[in-house]
Amino acid sequence: MEKKEYPYEYSSVQLGNFFGITVKGIEYYEKKGLISPQRIGTEKERRFNLKDTYRLFLSRYFKQADFSLKEIHNIFDQSDIATVSKIIEEKEKEIHKKELLIHAIDESMKHTSKLLKRISQINKPFFDVEIEVPDMKWLFVRNMNSPHIDDQQQLKEYKSWNELMPVTHGSLKYSKNDFLNNTELNPDIGMLISTENFKKFNFKESDRVISVNPKLYVHTVLIGDANEIKRDTWLMPIRQFIKDNNFRLSGDIITSFIFVKQNTRYDEAWIPIERSV
């Protein structure tokens, strides 16, 4: 019996079965100019040679690897395999950065959910005395009683931090002096990020970025009237806890905005302390 060579020419249905894709899906790649099958017969049926088959496979391969149509065309247009390698390497870096961001967002949401769950169970602030340093970076944006800045460099810096929410967080910083001596408070408005993520996402140091790493601190969630964050009543639970436990404030109070429900605001807070002698 004569042995027949397998014909390296396929119909749309055959390719669809090979690659688990519909005929409409194959037509999509044709319309985008990534494959150019022949048309045969009076019905102008598509016939795909090996080149078309390989291009269809690679088009789907790269599309599912998050390459845009423009990027896929660019790959196919390259005659130098080293250039193809460089394009793929750059995409890998881009995907890795997205993975880092997704992981950081996941950690942030997990932390927020845990805090809100704890608050919902006790319906009042908790106070944890911690010795593990909360290593963070804080970006100064403006003073609460001052207008927004219009310096282009500062705006660019603020924009880069703002774009990374919720890895970065809106934050208030109450000065030690203000807390100890005033009932009408004037906090600084800023952005907060862990030092780990500061480095991971290549943020830059500047004269507006400060490090937050107290040796001993009280960790809590402030709950109060969202319209009263400039008044002493907003920080009264902290003041009472410090007094009751014979502590004293050793630095500025840093908060991280979590949520607001109607007029009730929730802020995570870190209060640097030391033991009173």
Side-chain angles (χ1 to χ4, degrees):
M1 186 175 180
E2 184 181 353
K3 182 179 179 182
K4 292 183 179 181
E5 294 294 332
Y6 193 87
Y8 293 113
E9 185 177 275
Y10 310 104
S11 68
S12 295
V13 172
Q14 286 175 314
L15 278 191
N17 290 335
F18 292 161
F19 295 146
I21 186 174
T22 65
V23 173
K24 287 291 185 184
I26 293 174
E27 291 174 358
Y28 166 84
Y29 290 97
E30 182 183 1
K31 289 177 181 177
K32 298 302 180 181
L34 292 167
I35 53 176
S36 302
Q38 289 183 321
R39 298 300 188 103
I40 62 170
T42 57
E43 300 296 326
K44 300 296 182 182
E45 294 180 355
R46 294 175 178 81
R47 284 295 181 269
F48 300 86
N49 58 26
L50 276 177
K51 178 182 177 181
D52 294 321
T53 303
Y54 294 147
R55 284 178 70 98
L56 177 60
F57 178 88
L58 287 171
S59 294
R60 295 191 68 221
Y61 174 91
F62 288 122
K63 185 173 184 292
Q64 292 178 196
D66 205 33
F67 284 80
S68 68
L69 289 171
K70 182 178 179 181
E71 289 171 327
I72 296 172
H73 274 290
N74 185 32
I75 289 175
F76 287 159
D77 289 342
Q78 300 304 320
S79 58
D80 181 12
I81 199 68
T83 303
V84 174
S85 172
K86 185 176 181 180
I87 293 171
I88 294 174
E89 181 182 15
E90 290 303 312
K91 176 59 67 172
E92 186 278 328
K93 291 178 181 178
E94 181 184 317
I95 291 172
H96 179 64
K97 185 175 181 179
K98 288 182 180 179
E99 288 178 342
L100 291 177
L101 179 58
I102 290 171
H103 176 72
I105 291 173
D106 177 60
E107 291 297 314
S108 176
M109 294 294 95
K110 189 183 299 181
H111 179 70
T112 298
S113 175
K114 183 179 178 181
L115 288 177
L116 292 177
K117 183 178 181 180
R118 185 175 180 184
I119 286 297
S120 71
Q121 291 171 340
I122 61 176
N123 200 31
K124 63 180 181 180
F126 61 81
F127 294 94
D128 297 328
V129 179
E130 305 283 356
I131 58 174
E132 183 179 347
V133 174
D135 200 357
M136 300 178 288
K137 296 287 188 178
W138 192 86
L139 172 70
F140 172 77
V141 176
R142 67 180 179 90
N143 184 267
M144 182 163 281
N145 291 335
S146 302
H148 273 287
I149 56 174
D150 56 8
D151 178 89
Q152 289 303 308
Q153 183 179 354
Q154 292 184 24
L155 288 173
K156 183 178 180 181
E157 185 176 41
Y158 173 54
K159 183 175 182 289
S160 69
W161 282 62
N162 208 40
E163 286 176 342
L164 206 64
M165 291 191 296
V167 180
T168 57
H169 304 267
S171 176
L172 298 173
K173 181 164 72 69
Y174 296 90
S175 74
K176 176 183 176 182
N177 182 66
D178 214 15
F179 176 80
L180 294 177
N181 299 303
N182 299 308
T183 56
E184 184 71 21
L185 305 173
N186 186 23
D188 289 334
I189 298 174
M191 299 290 290
L192 189 67
I193 189 174
S194 71
T195 300
E196 178 184 1
N197 284 328
F198 182 89
K199 295 175 180 177
K200 188 181 295 182
F201 294 101
N202 299 314
F203 281 99
K204 305 300 181 184
E205 296 283 0
S206 76
D207 57 2
R208 292 172 295 279
V209 175
I210 64 171
S211 296
V212 181
N213 51 357
K215 295 180 180 179
L216 181 67
Y217 68 99
V218 174
H219 175 235
T220 187
V221 171
L222 295 170
I223 307 171
D225 191 329
N227 299 309
E228 296 292 319
I229 58 175
K230 289 178 60 178
R231 298 194 59 79
D232 184 60
T233 50
W234 172 244
L235 299 178
M236 190 59 70
I238 294 174
R239 190 182 299 282
Q240 192 62 49
F241 181 84
I242 289 176
K243 179 181 178 181
D244 291 345
N245 291 274
N246 200 32
F247 292 128
R248 62 185 177 193
L249 193 66
S250 64
D252 298 337
I253 297 171
I254 301 290
T255 79
S256 175
F257 175 67
I258 302 174
F259 192 65
V260 63
K261 181 181 179 182
Q262 296 176 339
N263 282 332
T264 303
R265 175 168 169 155
Y266 300 81
D267 275 46
E268 187 173 12
W270 296 267
I271 305 98
I273 57 170
E274 58 189 7
R275 301 282 182 182
S276 295
V277 179

